[in-house]
Amino acid sequence: MDFGVVLQTNPPASRTVQLSTLAEAHGFSHVWTFDSHLLWEEPYVVHSAILNATKRITVGPFVTNPATRDWTVTASVFATLNEMYGNRTICGIGRGDSAVRVTNGKPVTMRELRESIHVIRELANSRPVEYKGATLQFPWSRGSELDVWVAAYGPMALKLTGEVGDGFILQLADVDIAAWMIKVVRDAAEAAGRDPDSIAFCVAAPMYIGDDWEHMRDQCRWFGGMVGNHVADIVAKYGADGDVPQALTDYIAGRTGYDYNSHGKSDNDHVDFVPDEIVDRFCLLGTAEDHIAKLEQLKALGVTQFAGYLQHDNKEETMRVYGETVIPALSDHITAKS
């Protein structure tokens, strides 16, 4: 299992770079950043600084979208970074959340998401692509490599991920829900004639090492509010009694609204509707042993990467314990089985 960290590009950018170098030192393989250009600093500029300050870490947005960024420009960014620093980029993409909602926009359609994935991937892999009636290719790009991982929750998005995604990003760490979603993606891949084992499965959630459960929960409760936005969209489309697991829909009954100006912040003051049980189920909290036990369950489901959000007050210590205890424990487990 690979391990990543998910950071916000808050100023100063040097702090984000510092945390990224620390993540590399502790054995994390990926650094992901939020991508909402109004709420935080421009991620791709910061990505360049991260890549320049590190040697092996892979960097990408978590996640970008096809609505606020031109697809060909997005592809050019990745191909350029790959030329500058080697093939050390990755693209997480979804229909659009905070980046489009703060401008009163709407997420793109499934068709647009599918087309954008194809255009971005082909161009960023130094290949030609048909786009708006023209054949496009970067004449300066040689040997660039880019995987595109799709963030999804609902049945249609999960199906699309299985059909075209290089990887699947699930932004919650509930074992039961992860099992259902991974199966939907795998079944869609198989139905499309793809090898399900060729798809990377990334679970992302806040990770907090500690023993004060009340404090840890309060620091990570924001995540239940963030996930609630996606769940609310799914319930509105499919109904609470549809194909979506009840465990994913029950907790939003008390949800009354959401302010994207507090998106992803540990001091978010309007997520009281998120109960302790959901925080515990959706996040990784507690001692190193608690984290290892849950990660073993996720790995058994086929999860190939865990990406931990660090929007809390214990960033360095959490990364240290992961580097010294959690990551080696999962690596040892993999070695022992092979």
Side-chain angles (χ1 to χ4, degrees):
M1 180 183 284
D2 289 334
F3 289 85
V5 297
V6 185
L7 306 173
Q8 289 176 346
T9 52
N10 294 309
S14 58
R15 171 65 168 157
T16 307
V17 175
Q18 177 193 42
L19 290 171
S20 300
T21 59
L22 191 59
E24 181 175 71
H26 284 311
F28 289 87
S29 61
H30 289 67
V31 169
W32 304 89
T33 70
F34 284 50
D35 177 11
S36 290
H37 58 286
L38 289 172
L39 299 179
W40 302 287
E41 293 182 318
E42 172 57 36
Y44 294 124
V45 176
V46 181
H47 290 178
S48 185
I50 293 171
L51 289 164
N52 187 59
T54 57
K55 295 180 179 179
R56 59 172 182 79
I57 211 85
T58 296
V59 179
F62 211 82
V63 296
T64 192
N65 73 87
T68 59
R69 297 184 182 275
D70 181 90
W71 308 349
T72 63
V73 175
T74 296
S76 181
V77 168
F78 288 114
T80 300
L81 290 174
N82 283 343
E83 187 280 321
M84 293 172 67
Y85 301 108
N87 290 318
R88 294 168 53 203
T89 65
I90 189 167
C91 179
I93 194 168
R95 294 177 59 213
D97 185 34
S98 59
V100 298
R101 295 183 194 272
V102 293
T103 57
N104 293 321
K106 294 181 179 180
V108 301
T109 65
M110 291 296 171
R111 178 179 177 179
E112 290 171 319
L113 178 59
R114 183 186 298 268
E115 291 175 351
S116 71
I117 291 169
H118 177 66
V119 170
I120 292 169
R121 182 164 48 204
E122 293 306 294
L123 287 174
N125 280 277
S126 303
R127 296 190 293 258
V129 69
E130 296 296 318
Y131 180 60
K132 294 185 177 181
T135 300
L136 305 179
Q137 187 172 11
F138 299 136
W140 46 265
S141 180
R142 297 289 186 275
S144 177
E145 297 177 5
L146 180 76
D147 280 352
V148 180
W149 293 9
V150 186
Y153 287 102
M156 290 180 61
L158 294 169
K159 181 174 180 291
L160 179 148
T161 302
E163 292 171 347
V164 303
D166 297 309
F168 166 44
I169 294 173
L170 170 58
Q171 295 174 78
L172 57 84
D174 182 281
V175 175
D176 294 334
I177 295 170
W180 174 75
M181 291 191 174
I182 288 172
K183 183 180 186 304
V184 174
V185 172
R186 284 184 173 277
D187 288 348
E190 190 170 4
R194 304 182 67 200
D195 178 6
D197 292 333
S198 68
I199 300 174
F201 290 93
C202 175
V203 162
M207 57 178 181
Y208 195 119
I209 295 287
D211 54 17
D212 184 341
W213 282 85
E214 182 178 358
H215 180 73
M216 290 188 295
R217 286 166 177 153
D218 287 344
Q219 285 285 302
C220 298
R221 200 175 304 276
W222 65 267
F223 185 68
M226 185 182 79
V227 172
N229 298 313
H230 302 287
V231 175
D233 288 344
I234 294 169
V235 172
K237 183 175 182 63
Y238 297 100
D241 299 321
D243 294 332
V244 181
Q246 187 174 350
L248 189 60
T249 60
D250 282 351
Y251 82 100
I252 66 165
R255 181 180 184 272
T256 57
Y258 191 80
D259 180 4
Y260 272 90
N261 291 312
S262 298
H263 189 64
K265 295 182 178 180
S266 62
D267 59 354
N268 191 322
D269 60 1
H270 53 279
V271 292
D272 292 342
F273 73 93
V274 182
D276 289 350
E277 178 189 2
I278 287 296
V279 180
D280 295 352
R281 290 183 63 167
F282 283 15
C283 303
L284 269 77
L285 311 176
T287 65
E289 290 72 23
D290 294 327
H291 287 239
I292 292 167
K294 191 166 188 178
L295 289 166
E296 292 282 13
Q297 295 181 66
L298 292 169
K299 180 181 179 297
L301 297 177
V303 173
T304 57
Q305 181 179 146
F306 171 68
Y309 286 89
L310 287 175
Q311 284 66 57
H312 55 63
D313 60 5
N314 198 32
K315 298 176 178 64
E316 284 87 352
E317 176 65 7
T318 294
M319 282 197 286
R320 182 191 68 81
V321 174
Y322 260 73
E324 294 181 1
T325 305
V326 178
I327 293 175
L330 270 293
S331 298
D332 290 344
H333 178 73
I334 295 170
T335 301
K337 288 188 66 176
S338 60

